[in-house]
Amino acid sequence: MQALNQLPRALAKEVRTVFTDIDDTLTTDGKLSAQAYEALESLQRSGLRVIPVTGRPAGWCDHIARMWPVDGVIGENGALYMWHDSGTGKLHTRHLLEESIRRENTVRLAAVRDKILRDVPGCAVASDQFCRQYDLAIDFCEDVSPLELDVIDCIVRIMEDAGMTAKISSIHVNGWFGDYDKLSMARLMMQERYDIDLDDEAERRRCVFAGDSPNDAPMFAYFPLSVGVANVLNFAGRLPHPPRFITHQPSGAGFAELTQHLLEP
């Protein structure tokens, strides 16, 4: 990982889309600071496309798409995306799976949930589970006392043994049935909404992704301009694909640092 100031100015000036994780990338200690929100607003005001890419639930995405200065949001680790049409005042949702499949998966998720809660003391179902449509989120440090890494790995193993995809964020283990992830939905959204093919290397170089944890690894690997906020170092050795650049500051301050670098004259 290189320091952010090593990201060449010429490349920064070509960026047209900013993808960003939310928890511990935009937020700091669970809060969205004025500094981070202002960074989002500055990016959009400058004409850049801003798209959060998060493991947070569909219910949160509804709010984010409507209320934040963003062009859309990818939620539940790539299961859906939402955008708000300011012209018509309508919120739109692009689901990856049909409603009937989502209903079937809800039953399967409940069985895995019960096994995890029975076999892994100290964890809990995430408080935002009630507004999820695709995945199971198990809290290991947001509203519970932080669990050790080997315990977190046990949660992952139970999910994978049940045939689920499991990813570790900075606060939850998210598991779902399917092989999608943040990257697959980012590619789909860009093709469908903006007619941009991210298989084109030149188009990828016009994007930046900012993140902080293992579930961001596919995005870190795919985008040449991938940036970790400083707290990504908390997962040193557990990232199959680390970001190419790293900010000096952690969390929301790090995202503001990235924004300043992108918008520097």
Side-chain angles (χ1 to χ4, degrees):
M1 289 184 283
Q2 302 177 64
L4 179 62
N5 60 17
Q6 297 301 304
L7 194 164
R9 292 293 315 133
L11 294 181
K13 285 180 176 294
E14 293 299 312
V15 169
R16 294 294 176 267
T17 302
V18 179
F19 294 107
T20 178
D21 176 53
I22 293 179
D23 287 293
D24 296 309
T25 299
L26 283 178
T27 64
T28 304
D29 296 327
K31 302 291 185 182
L32 182 64
S33 67
Q35 181 185 27
Y37 192 88
E38 184 179 13
L40 291 172
E41 199 166 49
S42 296
L43 289 167
Q44 197 177 58
R45 190 167 54 240
S46 297
L48 275 69
R49 187 180 295 115
V50 183
I51 302 173
V53 188
T54 181
R56 288 295 190 172
W60 283 39
C61 293
D62 181 300
H63 166 81
I64 291 166
R66 292 177 188 273
M67 302 291 184
W68 289 21
V70 299
D71 295 273
V73 55
I74 294 170
E76 298 197 28
N77 281 295
L80 54 89
Y81 68 79
M82 293 184 184
W83 77 100
H84 186 259
D85 186 331
S86 58
T88 63
K90 299 293 186 181
L91 181 78
H92 300 273
T93 304
R94 168 57 154 101
H95 287 283
L96 194 61
L97 300 179
E98 297 293 333
E99 185 178 356
S100 59
I101 298 175
R102 300 201 303 271
R103 284 198 303 267
E104 291 172 7
N105 286 347
T106 297
V107 177
R108 301 168 71 192
L109 291 171
V112 179
R113 175 202 65 204
D114 292 346
K115 179 172 176 56
I116 291 171
L117 295 179
R118 183 173 62 247
D119 294 355
V120 185
C123 72
V125 174
S127 62
D128 64 11
Q129 185 66 44
F130 74 97
C131 53
R132 293 180 178 274
Q133 296 187 349
Y134 284 82
D135 72 5
L136 171 65
I138 299 296
D139 183 357
F140 61 76
C141 74
E142 185 177 36
D143 293 319
V144 301
S145 299
L147 302 182
E148 298 294 332
L149 290 177
D150 62 334
V151 179
I152 297 170
D153 288 340
C154 181
I155 297 170
V156 171
R157 283 196 300 274
I158 292 172
M159 289 182 173
E160 291 179 341
D161 288 347
M164 299 171 71
T165 298
K167 298 292 183 180
I168 301 171
S169 76
S170 58
I171 53 173
H172 298 158
V173 179
N174 296 88
W176 59 89
F177 293 103
D179 59 1
Y180 59 84
D181 58 19
K182 289 183 172 184
L183 175 58
S184 61
M185 186 54 87
R187 295 171 68 182
L188 183 64
M189 180 181 185
M190 292 297 281
Q191 185 69 65
E192 292 182 343
R193 292 278 297 127
Y194 305 108
D195 197 27
I196 292 174
D197 182 1
L198 289 181
D199 285 338
D200 183 332
E201 185 176 352
E203 293 292 356
R204 287 204 303 276
R205 290 187 176 277
R206 296 187 183 100
C207 301
V208 161
F209 173 72
D212 75 295
S213 61
N215 69 341
D216 296 320
M219 301 287 277
F220 287 151
Y222 190 72
F223 290 102
L225 304 185
S226 60
V227 179
V229 289
N231 44 296
V232 74
L233 294 175
N234 294 340
F235 294 98
R238 296 178 66 85
L239 285 170
H241 302 286
R244 288 167 174 79
F245 301 94
I246 188 168
T247 65
H248 177 68
Q249 297 292 328
S251 302
F255 183 79
E257 183 184 334
L258 169 61
T259 296
Q260 183 177 9
H261 190 73
L262 293 175
L263 300 183
E264 207 169 80

